[in-house]
């Protein structure tokens, strides 16, 4: 501060005391001071909004503000400007309280002299600068702590994800592996006794188990890519209606097992647009297979494709077991399954994958469900024109 110009805002309604402060500052040799005097708090706020000041000298008794009420208003308006409180002898306790509330110092008016005033101004400015530096350091440290905490939370989430993944794989892959071993053993040990039809049945069982394991590993791989930011859209022209009809054809055997009725309907026109076929297949096949998996025997399923001007909608409705309300908030989290699924097989990854694929397309997914009534999933994706 040595040799610098110090600009002071004096808030004092007593003209005589204001003139005395001006005279003291003019007598100071070591510093050059510029004093701007206002009589009211509102005038001071106007000055602070339009000009910069190095320090504020504040009288605690003003026509439009009394006592400590002036202090928070000034601090809020100019948080980096130090404040020195001016008080009468009988207001000293109030002045000390003002320092506790954020003022840098206080002066008893009847004891003010040139040296005391200059010293108080200089110390207040230096003290405020130190506090501002400490505040900035604390703020930087707080940001670093928050960033580090977020990193640790993320690392903990990753470790938890890995633990759940290993647990899920060891549990869910064991069943199809046991099935393969059992069927292969029967084929090996009873080859002369088994009819051709029995052999075909056992081979089909093995193929189904292998397909189940492959799908499980694909799902895990896809979730891993999404969580490691390797998830990207590979866009290409695609006929959505043909894709949907192919998927409907592929699930016909599953429909027969439960005697389900599946209706596919296409409305509107999609026009020429580009999509990621792999991600779309994950979305549609997962939602379609879920509708089949959680439907009651002899039930029905509706699958709709709705083309709009700037978006396309896929709608899946079943009249199955439904989703309990308490499970809705975690529906799209990995490894989460509804409480009422019972023995229905699943990894808890399907809907998490669907959500990742929908997000990758910049779309949204909504679900309406009621236990024992059924579930409707609605996926809306924006049209990306050629």
């Amino acid at each position: 501060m040595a040799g610098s110009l110090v600009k002071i805002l004096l808030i004092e309604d007593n003209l005589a005391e204001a003139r005395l402060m001006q005279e003291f500052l003019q007598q100071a040799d070591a510093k050059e001071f510029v004093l701007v005097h206002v009589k009211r708090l509102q005038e001071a706020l106007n000055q602070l909004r339009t000009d910069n000041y190095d320090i504020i000298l504040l009288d605690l008794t003003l026509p439009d503000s009394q006592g400590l009420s002036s202090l928070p208003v000034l601090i809020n308006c100019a948080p980096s400007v130090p404040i020195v409180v001016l008080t009468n002898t009988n207001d000293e306790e109030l002045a000390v309280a003002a320092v506790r509330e954020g003022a840098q110092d206080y002066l008893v008016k009847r004891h003010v002299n040139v040296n005391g005033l200059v010293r108080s101004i200089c110390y207040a400015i230096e003290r405020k600068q130190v506090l501002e530096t400490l505040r900035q350091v604390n703020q930087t440290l707080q940001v670093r702590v928050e960033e580090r905490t977020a990193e640790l939370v993320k690392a903990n989430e990753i470790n938890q994800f890995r633990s759940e993944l290993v647990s899920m794989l060891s549990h869910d892959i064991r069943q199809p592996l046991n099935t393969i071993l059992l069927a292969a053993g029967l084929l090996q040990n009873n080859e002369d006794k088994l009819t051709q039809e029995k052999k075909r049945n056992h081979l089909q069982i093995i193929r189904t188990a292998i397909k189940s394991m492959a799908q499980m590993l694909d799902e895990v791989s896809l979730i891993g890519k999404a969580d490691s930011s390797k998830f990207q859209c590979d866009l290409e022209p695609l006929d959505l209606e043909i894709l949907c009809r192919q998927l409907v054809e592929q699930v016909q055997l599953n429909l027969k097992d439960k005697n389900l009725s599946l209706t596919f309907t296409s409305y509107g026109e999609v026009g020429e647009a580009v999509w990621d076929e792999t991600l779309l297949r994950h979305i549609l096949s997962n939602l379609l297979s879920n509708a089949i998996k959680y439907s009651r025997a002899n039930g029905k399923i509706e699958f709709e494709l709705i083309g709009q001007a700037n978006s396309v909608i896929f709608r899946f409705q079943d009249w199955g077991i439904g989703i309990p309300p308490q499970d809705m908030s975690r529906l799209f989290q990995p490894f989460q399954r509804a409480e009422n699924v019972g023995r229905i097989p699943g990894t808890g990854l399907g809907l998490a994958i669907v959500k990742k694929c929908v997000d990758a397309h910049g779309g949204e997914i909504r679900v309406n469900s009621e236990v024992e009534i059924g579930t409707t999933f609605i996926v809306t994706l924006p049209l990306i024109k050629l």
Side-chain angles (χ1 to χ4, degrees), residues 294-306:
Y294 299 113
S295 286
R296 305 290 188 189
N298 304 311
K300 64 176 182 176
I301 299 167
E302 291 182 356
F303 174 21
E304 296 177 348
L305 167 64
I306 305 168

Side-chain angles (χ1 to χ4, degrees), residues 11 23 29 50 74 128 132 177 197 207 245 263 279 371 375 385:
I11 313 173
E23 290 175 4
D29 297 327
T50 58
L74 289 169
K128 186 66 174 181
E132 280 296 302
L177 276 176
E197 184 179 355
R207 279 194 290 267
R245 293 193 183 278
T263 303
L279 300 187
V371 175
T375 302
K385 300 294 179 67

Side-chain angles (χ1 to χ4, degrees), residues 320-351:
I321 64 174
I323 304 168
Q326 63 270 23
D327 293 318
M328 296 293 284
S329 62
R330 57 190 182 92
L331 199 60
F332 299 107
Q333 297 176 11
F335 308 109
Q336 300 297 325
R337 303 191 72 205
E339 295 178 356
N340 62 336
V341 297
R343 294 182 176 273
I344 300 173
T347 62
L349 289 174
L351 287 178

Side-chain angles (χ1 to χ4, degrees), residues 122-275:
C122 294
Y123 285 176
I125 293 174
E126 291 173 1
R127 201 175 297 123
K128 186 66 174 181
Q129 289 173 345
V130 170
L131 289 175
E132 280 296 302
T133 301
L134 288 174
R135 184 188 64 80
Q136 290 173 7
V137 170
N138 286 336
Q139 190 173 16
T140 301
L141 289 174
Q142 184 177 356
V143 170
R144 290 180 180 173
V145 168
E146 289 174 355
E147 289 174 350
R148 183 58 180 155
T149 301
E151 290 173 2
L152 292 173
V153 169
K154 183 63 176 177
N156 185 57
E157 290 175 351
I158 292 172
N159 289 333
Q160 184 178 357
F161 175 84
R162 288 173 178 167
S163 175
E164 290 174 345
L165 178 60
V166 171
S167 176
M168 183 274 295
L169 286 175
S170 63
H171 177 270
D172 290 348
I173 286 183
R174 187 178 293 115
Q175 182 177 348
L177 276 176
N178 290 338
T179 301
I180 292 170
L181 289 172
L182 179 61
L186 289 172
L187 285 171
Q188 183 179 11
N189 299 327
N190 301 281
E191 184 176 359
D192 331 345
K193 304 173 185 177
L194 294 175
T195 65
Q196 288 298 319
E197 184 179 355
K198 285 285 187 181
K199 290 179 182 178
R200 282 194 295 270
N201 287 341
H202 287 314
L203 288 171
Q204 181 60 44
I205 289 172
I206 291 173
R207 279 194 290 267
T208 301
I210 292 173
K211 184 179 178 181
S212 173
M213 290 172 60
Q215 181 181 354
M216 197 181 307
L217 292 173
D218 283 345
E219 289 178 344
V220 169
S221 175
L222 195 65
I223 283 289
K225 287 180 181 178
D227 286 339
S228 62
S229 302
K230 296 179 181 177
F231 215 53
Q232 295 179 349
C233 275
D234 186 11
L235 301 175
E236 59 182 359
L238 188 66
D239 190 316
L240 292 185
E241 185 169 346
I242 291 177
L243 175 64
C244 292
R245 293 193 183 278
Q246 288 176 350
L247 293 172
V248 169
E249 184 65 29
Q250 290 171 12
V251 299
Q252 290 304 313
L253 285 177
N254 295 335
L255 294 171
K256 290 179 181 178
D257 291 342
K258 299 177 72 172
N259 194 30
L260 295 171
S261 167
L262 170 59
T263 303
F264 171 70
T265 312
S266 178
Y267 302 98
E269 294 185 6
V270 175
E272 295 184 345
V274 290
W275 313 89

Side-chain angles (χ1 to χ4, degrees), residues 58 64 87 105 117-118 123 127 149 157-158 170 191 202 239 260 278 282 288 333 356 360 363 376 384:
L58 170 65
D64 57 345
T87 179
D105 200 356
L117 178 60
V118 172
Y123 285 176
R127 201 175 297 123
T149 301
E157 290 175 351
I158 292 172
S170 63
E191 184 176 359
H202 287 314
D239 190 316
L260 295 171
T278 301
H282 279 296
L288 193 54
Q333 297 176 11
K356 298 285 187 182
T376 300
I384 303 175

